[in-house]
């Protein structure tokens, strides 16, 4: 069962990150909080186990209905740096832009379905 996330808390974390994202020293704790809350929001809004969203070093969640994997690397994985995930979550860029720029590692036939769930705000 995914951990319940307060939508207001998630929005506040993303807004705070958005206000500070262009400064050279965004606090690591702020980045971690915004990443974890937003990724877990996707986990809650798109429950399932067919796609794994990885935003190292902060979080990995499984989401989107479909076949469940039980061992090893899941067949559908999306991995990206925290700043890329946060740009997607707040709508500063699009899935297509990040994919074209080579900022997303996407494997599996269903991994692209994650694009439907961003931006979050």
């Amino acid at each position: 069962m995914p951990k319940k996330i307060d939508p207001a808390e998630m929005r506040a974390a993303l807004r705070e990150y958005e206000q500070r994202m262009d400064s050279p020293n965004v606090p690591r704790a702020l980045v971690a909080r915004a990443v974890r809350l937003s990724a877990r929001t996707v986990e809650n809004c798109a429950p399932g186990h067919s796609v794994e969203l990885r935003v190292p070093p902060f979080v990995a969640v499984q989401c989107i209905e479909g076949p469940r994997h039980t061992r090893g690397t899941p067949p559908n994985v999306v991995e990206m740096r925290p700043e890329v995930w946060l740009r997607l979550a707040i709508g500063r860029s699009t899935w297509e832009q990040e994919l074209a720029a080579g900022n997303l590692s996407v494997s599996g036939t269903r991994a692209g379905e994650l694009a439907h769930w961003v931006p979050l705000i």
Side-chain angles (χ1 to χ4, degrees):
M1 178 64 86
K3 180 181 177 186
K4 284 290 186 190
I5 301 299
D6 177 5
E9 183 182 3
M10 184 270 304
R11 282 190 302 273
L14 289 179
R15 293 288 184 218
E16 184 178 355
Y17 175 80
E18 185 176 25
Q19 291 171 355
R20 300 174 76 173
M21 69 187 283
D22 295 324
S23 76
N25 297 330
V26 179
R28 179 179 167 85
L30 171 58
V31 174
R33 183 169 168 262
V35 167
R36 288 181 182 129
L37 288 171
S38 57
R40 289 181 179 141
T41 295
V42 172
E43 181 183 33
N44 278 276
C45 291
H49 298 280
S50 67
V51 177
E52 185 164 287
L53 167 62
R54 298 177 181 168
V55 187
F58 300 117
V59 73
V61 299
Q62 293 182 358
C63 54
I64 303 180
E65 289 184 8
R68 176 186 208 124
H69 72 280
T70 56
R71 292 183 156 214
T73 302
N76 300 288
V77 176
V78 178
E79 186 169 335
M80 66 196 82
R81 294 182 324 273
E83 63 273 10
V84 174
W85 171 249
L86 292 171
R87 282 195 305 264
L88 289 170
I90 63 176
R92 278 277 183 106
S93 66
T94 66
W95 184 269
E96 293 77 17
Q97 290 169 325
E98 297 295 352
L99 196 57
N103 293 331
L104 303 177
S105 173
V106 179
S107 64
T109 57
R110 301 204 50 209
E113 292 179 31
L114 188 60
H116 172 75
W117 297 98
V118 290
L120 294 172
I121 58 171

